[in-house]
Amino acid sequence: MDTALLLIHFNRPDVTRRQVDALRTIAPKRVWVLCDAPRPDRVGEDKKVDEVRSILDALPWDCEVHKLYREENLGVRENISTGLSWFLNECKEGIILEDDCIPSESFFRFVVEALERYRDDVRVFTVSGYTGLDSDLPIEESYCYSNYFSCWGWATWKRSWDCYDESMTAFTDQEKWKAICARLHPSIRQHLYWKYIFGRVVAGKVDSWAYRFLLSMWSHHGYAVTPKRNLIENIGFTDDATNTGGLKVFQTPKTEITFPLICPSEVESNKAVDQWIEDNCHSKSLKVRLAWLSQKIQQKFKAN
């Protein structure tokens, strides 16, 4: 595969080994590697980071490799956002895999075809590989367009990342935020949820680049190409995960998509898919929220 690939790793040697092993058959020819430095207050993390880097230093296929190993810990948001800028400034477009994302083989062909098809279409911001479903989306085509993007196995262009708004002006400017809510989040549940989430991000209580990029996509009326089938398995729902510990409900098996791809006739969001994402992954319907709370309570009792 000639398309540039960015691998984002940190402190989990086991998931690093599994991902590297999964990439053997694809053998990407151009690889960028990003790895944050250990946190000084975490005993033993330096050894784990060193082990991860040693694995990445010995990729088991011939390829061009570019590395950005941090000397000081930057944290999730700064490390990944500046790492994405480094990657896309050099490559202009590419695929991004965090350490716990295991792609199916067809994920790469799907993403490469989408990167080529929508390279100059500013309406399309990203290409996602993860759907969160263990069954097909209820669509006839091979993929749809969504107002939500997933960072668990995805791809984008420099033109999209150039719209990344670190300061989140689309939220802090009340007129812009009202316009986004009127277009995308008309219900009280959704409005209050996203106001709470983005408020925490702005206040520095959530160290997230992904929420900032999602808001940037919304402010530019951008879409994410979303496959009919789930093409990414996230194996990172362990207790030592930085952001996803214990959320095994999202550990959906990866599948393969068939070719040739059947493309949607119009570039517009699929409202049914967007509603499913909102109800199941974000503000959550009452049914989903009760199931979510039940799982969290069970985890708490098990931990005690």
Side-chain angles (χ1 to χ4, degrees):
M1 185 186 71
D2 292 328
T3 303
L5 171 65
L6 172 64
L7 302 179
I8 302 173
H9 289 251
F10 182 36
N11 65 355
R12 291 184 286 177
D14 289 343
V15 295
T16 297
R17 288 191 186 90
R18 287 185 61 180
Q19 188 189 78
V20 168
D21 188 60
L23 292 173
R24 284 174 181 264
T25 56
I26 303 300
K29 296 180 181 178
R30 303 164 59 217
V31 180
W32 275 251
V33 180
L34 174 67
C35 185
D36 206 356
R39 292 163 289 192
D41 60 335
R42 301 297 178 95
V43 177
E45 189 167 79
D46 55 341
K47 294 181 180 179
K48 292 181 179 179
V49 172
D50 286 344
E51 187 175 355
V52 165
R53 293 182 180 186
S54 69
I55 297 168
L56 297 171
D57 286 340
L59 295 178
W61 64 85
D62 292 332
C63 59
E64 166 193 343
V65 182
H66 305 261
K67 300 172 187 175
L68 180 53
Y69 290 170
R70 307 293 192 182
E71 295 183 0
E72 296 182 359
N73 184 271
L74 300 183
V76 174
R77 175 179 57 82
E78 186 176 354
N79 176 52
I80 295 182
S81 63
T82 58
L84 284 166
S85 295
W86 163 67
F87 173 60
L88 291 167
N89 284 338
E90 293 192 7
C91 304
K92 309 308 177 187
E93 65 183 40
I95 302 168
I96 301 100
L97 290 176
E98 296 192 30
D99 59 357
D100 49 14
C101 296
I102 306 298
S104 63
E105 288 191 29
S106 58
F107 163 78
F108 294 97
R109 180 177 173 185
F110 172 75
V111 167
V112 169
E113 288 191 14
L115 283 173
E116 293 175 353
R117 173 179 286 271
Y118 298 103
R119 182 171 291 139
D120 300 315
D121 191 334
V122 296
R123 295 171 296 180
V124 178
F125 253 53
T126 70
V127 185
S128 295
Y130 178 86
T131 67
L133 285 171
D134 55 9
S135 59
D136 290 356
L137 292 177
I139 57 177
E140 296 182 359
E141 300 84 4
S142 301
Y143 60 90
C144 65
Y145 308 97
S146 174
N147 284 302
Y148 300 85
F149 97 102
S150 171
C151 61
W152 293 345
W154 64 296
T156 193
W157 303 265
K158 181 180 183 297
R159 62 165 174 80
S160 299
W161 187 249
D162 284 345
C163 298
Y164 179 73
D165 182 7
E166 176 77 20
S167 59
M168 300 182 68
T169 55
F171 176 71
T172 56
D173 184 314
Q174 289 303 301
E175 291 304 314
K176 292 181 179 179
W177 177 237
K178 287 179 182 178
I180 288 174
C181 286
R183 178 167 54 91
L184 300 178
H185 306 303
S187 77
I188 294 296
R189 184 192 86 203
Q190 295 178 33
H191 177 84
L192 292 177
Y193 172 83
W194 286 108
K195 181 178 179 181
Y196 170 75
I197 291 294
F198 289 144
R200 286 175 60 81
V201 175
V202 168
K205 296 179 180 179
V206 175
D207 188 36
S208 172
W209 65 271
Y211 281 134
R212 285 176 165 84
F213 186 53
L214 178 63
L215 180 63
S216 303
M217 189 174 86
W218 288 348
S219 68
H220 287 81
H221 296 251
Y223 297 132
V225 167
T226 303
K228 182 175 186 174
R229 295 178 176 175
N230 183 55
L231 305 179
I232 297 287
E233 180 180 359
N234 191 309
I235 61 170
F237 302 109
T238 55
D239 292 337
D240 62 343
T242 303
N243 295 301
T244 57
L247 304 182
K248 290 188 177 181
V249 66
F250 292 124
Q251 192 168 340
T252 309
K254 65 182 185 295
T255 57
E256 303 291 346
I257 200 166
T258 56
F259 298 91
L261 296 176
I262 302 172
C263 307
S265 58
E266 301 290 337
V267 180
E268 58 184 14
S269 64
N270 185 299
K271 291 181 173 56
V273 170
D274 280 356
Q275 191 62 57
W276 184 91
I277 294 172
E278 184 66 37
D279 287 347
N280 286 272
C281 303
H282 296 297
S283 62
K284 302 182 183 67
S285 64
L286 178 60
K287 178 181 178 181
V288 171
R289 188 162 291 280
L290 289 174
W292 178 275
L293 290 174
S294 175
Q295 182 191 45
K296 299 296 285 186
I297 291 171
Q298 290 176 19
Q299 290 173 353
K300 184 174 181 180
F301 276 114
K302 287 181 180 178
N304 293 333

